[in-house]
Amino acid sequence: MISKEILMKGFQKNPEKFWKVSLFDELGFERKRCKNCGKFFWSLSEEEICGDSSCRSYEFIGSKIKDLTFLETWKEIEKFFVGKNHHPLKRYPVICRWFPLYFTVAGIVNFCRLVDDRLDFEFPTNPSILAQPCLRFNDLPNTGLNSKSYSCFFMVQQTSLFDGKEGYWKDECINLDFELLTKVFGIDKEKIFFIEDVWLGPNAFGPSLEFHSQGLELGNAVFTQFEISNSSYGELDKKVIDMGAGLERFCWIVRGSLTSYDAVFENIIKKIGAPEIDDDLKKYFKLCGRINIDENKDLDSALRSIAGQINADLRKLKQKLEKLQAFYSVLDHSRALLFALADGGIPSNVAGGYNLRVILRRALNFLKKAKIELSLSDLIFMHSKDLKEFLPEMDEGRIEEILKIEESRYLQSKERSKRIVESYLKEGRIPSEEELIKLYDSNGITPEEFKEAGLDIEIPPNFYSKIVERHMREKEKKEEFLFDISNLKPTKLLFYEDPNILKFKAKVVKVFQNFVVLDQTAFYPTSGGQLCDKGFIDGIKVLDVKKVGNVVIHQLEKPLEEGKVVECEVDKERREILKRHHSATHVINYCARKVLGKHVWQYGSEKDVDKARLDITHFEKLEEWEEREIERLANEIVEKDLEVKIEFLERGEAERKYGFYIYQGGPAKEKILRIVSIGEEHEACGGLHCNSTKEIGPILILKSKRIADGIVRIEFCSGDVALNYLKESEKILEEVSKILNCKEEDVPNAVKKLFERWKKKMKEVKKLSR
């Protein structure tokens, strides 16, 4: 098993091969080992301590190089790289739809794709530069305390794909970064340190050089050079330059402000008023880079050490920092929420929405602590004005609505929390760390609420890091099969070659009890929410069909003989119903987005013969008029008789042509995508469909319900199934009207009167029974 530690030891046996670049020779950089932390670094300075914040204070504070705003800092960087023949790219969404992460956690994620289950890089241009807003929630305890941590930060992403002909490699990368630091931002070359490190990904790795100055890491140039295959590795044909730098940190170091937050959020701080910062805090912020709860699990020890160095009272210092952390954190969290909500994220108790709710509720708490007399939405829209260049299209009304609903739910949860906390107080019981996590997960109770209520509780410094780590990545469900099929050839899929093939011959290539593998099949396996075809193989009933890897497995009522050529027939009626329901799913998904907003995204679906269901992301249950409007628009599309168009496109071309909305069913694992288009709705989809919307037939929404916070389920049917449902409903209505002796249109009133009479009788019965 390859680990980062093993790679580091191996690379350090030959540091000149992996880390030394031409710039080091040209200018005379020397390799040294830090006397403090033990890391190896390259510098022009004679000092024997590296530039990391664990070894140095923030030495640049109070020394302004340039008076640049946050956006002006980016413009300088963009101008420099565009002048060096880099293509400027627009930002990607912070909600990651193309890779199995909930959020865009780094600039390089924009270019990460899957081929089968392996990481692959796909770049729209080469080389490129962009400023990518990123969301990370593992650093929440440090935000506001160490002056460099954010839940939302902008990564300067410099990328090059190098194949020996196009792009560039290590030497050019470090030359460019060094020129940016020294010539564009005027940083003294004697104060620049390159620290050796390695990067290890899912199936690739390489050396990296972090560049630091005066106690601040500004960026990290990763040289993705090797790929992992099984237990061995080899050099990549196309190597990747992945340099990620913190835009906030560049802005901070050139301005020399006390904290990075003062530089980045300068405009907002001017409007709402700067917090009070005394001499102790000024001294603290020069040393606070040492605060990193991931590395120093004991926050008290780190604070005690700093308090000792600046001769400050620890208790008073902690009180001052608590207010200041609340002030800076709410500025950060509100910016994170701006991008997340603008890009279609919804706070909830499922998937990535869980983490958005965590920071939203933290922000509401911090507003109160910091005594900021503005609403959360006020702060969010202040950010949007400052960052409008990165938010060309934003539905402010929808964001405002989501925030109001979330704040209302938060206040309701506070009432519930109060009762639970009081029960602990009465019993004199101290919740364990695991109990605290469960209480937060199930009831939204924060550890701070116990402390505020007077319970002597020790809040784990990494509490919020632990809870958000559970919700950072999609949990992949892999189709498993009890038997070994690794040596079998891929099954030929006849339903893609000609979807009208329902009768065919095939050879039985493998039998596992009642499970049969054919050399070719027209039976569609359960996939993408569409349930499988059924029918007969050699007269034996097909019970289930699944696809494991590239092999289709048919479960039969009884076994077949291996090697036999068999006659197969797909149940036509079932196939047609499933096709209609699948095409109707695409139509309803599109119509729901039109009626409810761009935040609507498919969360899951199932297409069966009696009905289908579509789970969508939405912040509250549907009103009756919303159901009816979605249904009306869907049937309009059916009546237009639009072509259901199927085309095969390279993944990058499909993304550029149709956007990331194509990934309604989750990230694709193929380089060539099968795109199903119905009017303006385009999805990467492997399912079977009608030829036109007219074939879908009438679409009938049966009901909708909220199945979780942020998830709404729409149940519906189409075609003959919908017509039969309407006929059955009419029949029931007719029978009820006869029983109630009224006209069909008067049934609701008659039922209401009957119910009122029943309630009255029940009250009389209760009186008599006393």
Side-chain angles (χ1 to χ4, degrees), residues 383-606:
H383 283 300
S384 71
K385 285 173 186 172
D386 281 353
L387 298 165
K388 59 186 174 185
E389 181 179 323
F390 293 95
L391 297 152
E393 293 178 14
M394 186 178 69
D395 188 342
E396 288 195 9
R398 190 67 70 189
I399 290 174
E400 183 80 54
E401 191 178 358
I402 291 169
L403 290 169
K404 279 181 181 175
I405 289 168
E406 278 300 310
E407 189 159 358
S408 171
R409 286 176 183 160
Y410 167 72
L411 293 172
Q412 288 168 17
S413 75
K414 290 286 274 186
E415 286 300 313
R416 291 195 305 272
S417 301
K418 193 176 176 183
R419 291 193 294 271
I420 294 169
V421 170
E422 282 172 358
S423 70
Y424 272 85
L425 277 168
K426 282 177 186 177
E427 295 169 17
R429 200 154 57 89
I430 306 290
S432 65
E433 185 174 326
E434 192 54 39
E435 275 183 284
L436 286 172
I437 290 172
K438 283 180 182 175
L439 285 164
Y440 188 93
D441 266 349
S442 56
N443 297 287
I445 303 173
T446 65
E448 288 82 2
E449 287 177 75
F450 283 101
K451 199 149 193 170
E452 286 164 10
L455 207 62
D456 187 18
I457 182 174
E458 194 64 40
I459 301 174
N462 58 346
F463 175 79
Y464 289 101
S465 297
K466 283 187 174 181
I467 59 173
V468 298
E469 274 168 15
R470 301 179 177 199
H471 303 268
M472 282 302 290
R473 188 182 178 96
E474 289 185 31
K475 290 175 183 175
E476 192 176 357
K477 295 173 186 175
K478 285 193 176 181
E479 189 68 67
E480 293 182 356
F481 188 55
L482 294 172
F483 306 99
D484 182 17
I485 56 169
S486 58
N487 295 323
L488 297 181
K489 291 180 180 178
T491 309
K492 187 178 181 182
L493 307 176
L494 299 175
F495 48 79
Y496 285 148
E497 291 186 7
D498 183 356
N500 297 315
I501 293 175
L502 298 172
K503 292 182 179 180
F504 64 98
K505 287 183 179 180
K507 184 179 180 181
V508 179
V509 296
K510 196 71 182 174
V511 175
F512 307 95
Q513 297 173 2
N514 286 12
F515 297 95
V516 171
V517 178
L518 306 175
D519 63 339
Q520 60 178 10
T521 187
F523 285 95
Y524 184 82
T526 296
S527 179
Q530 180 175 326
L531 297 190
C532 67
D533 286 331
K534 291 187 180 178
F536 296 90
I537 295 177
D538 217 32
I540 302 169
K541 202 172 185 180
V542 177
L543 303 175
D544 191 18
V545 187
K546 64 172 73 176
K547 189 166 179 264
V548 181
N550 292 314
V551 176
V552 177
I553 299 157
H554 310 74
Q555 184 181 359
L556 309 184
E557 273 192 332
K558 58 182 182 179
L560 268 173
E561 182 185 335
E562 213 167 275
K564 186 179 182 182
V565 175
V566 291
E567 297 279 349
C568 310
E569 184 172 0
V570 176
D571 182 332
K572 182 180 179 180
E573 185 182 359
R574 178 183 173 87
R575 161 74 70 82
E576 291 303 314
I577 293 171
L578 293 173
K579 279 167 60 178
R580 289 190 199 105
H581 279 165
H582 200 146
S583 296
T585 302
H586 285 225
V587 172
I588 287 181
N589 193 30
Y590 169 77
C591 295
R593 196 156 57 246
K594 282 290 178 186
V595 173
L596 305 172
K598 290 181 179 178
H599 62 278
V600 168
W601 205 273
Q602 180 179 313
Y603 187 78
S605 67
E606 184 178 271

Side-chain angles (χ1 to χ4, degrees), residues 137 140 143 151 272 322-338 341 347 354-380 383 403 406-407 410-411 414 440 444 446 448 464:
F137 303 111
L140 292 181
T143 304
S151 65
I272 65 176
E322 194 175 319
K323 288 178 185 176
L324 210 53
Q325 183 180 24
F327 182 85
Y328 289 137
S329 292
V330 79
L331 296 180
D332 162 71
H333 291 7
S334 52
R335 184 172 71 161
L337 288 164
L338 166 67
L341 298 177
Y354 179 95
N355 289 343
L356 298 182
R357 180 166 284 171
V358 167
I359 62 164
L360 189 147
R361 293 188 172 186
R362 272 172 63 90
L364 290 170
N365 273 326
F366 286 147
L367 271 173
K368 190 177 174 184
K369 266 187 190 174
K371 296 180 180 176
I372 296 173
E373 293 180 2
L374 290 171
S375 68
L376 184 55
S377 58
D378 288 337
L379 275 181
I380 285 173
H383 283 300
L403 290 169
E406 278 300 310
E407 189 159 358
Y410 167 72
L411 293 172
K414 290 286 274 186
Y440 188 93
T446 65
E448 288 82 2
Y464 289 101

Side-chain angles (χ1 to χ4, degrees), residues 530 575-586 606-613 688-690 696 716-719 721-722:
Q530 180 175 326
R575 161 74 70 82
E576 291 303 314
I577 293 171
L578 293 173
K579 279 167 60 178
R580 289 190 199 105
H581 279 165
H582 200 146
S583 296
T585 302
H586 285 225
E606 184 178 271
K607 303 94 184 177
D608 206 340
V609 288
D610 58 336
K611 63 181 176 182
R613 63 170 169 80
L688 302 184
H689 287 271
C690 302
I696 297 170
F716 60 95
C717 54
S718 65
V721 178

Side-chain angles (χ1 to χ4, degrees), residues 153-167:
F153 64 95
F154 278 67
M155 183 171 282
V156 175
Q157 183 65 41
Q158 169 196 356
T159 314
S160 171
L161 187 66
F162 178 68
D163 61 3
K165 296 176 183 177
E166 291 186 10

Side-chain angles (χ1 to χ4, degrees), residues 60-97:
F60 58 88
I61 289 176
S63 303
K64 183 182 285 189
I65 303 172
K66 289 187 176 185
D67 194 11
L68 296 174
T69 66
F70 182 66
L71 283 178
E72 285 169 349
T73 305
W74 162 240
K75 289 298 178 188
E76 290 285 301
I77 296 169
E78 185 182 42
K79 181 182 173 184
F80 170 77
F81 279 104
V82 169
K84 301 292 183 178
N85 300 315
H86 286 64
H87 300 271
L89 298 176
K90 290 182 179 178
R91 77 168 183 93
Y92 283 47
V94 297
I95 308 296
C96 183
R97 307 291 189 183

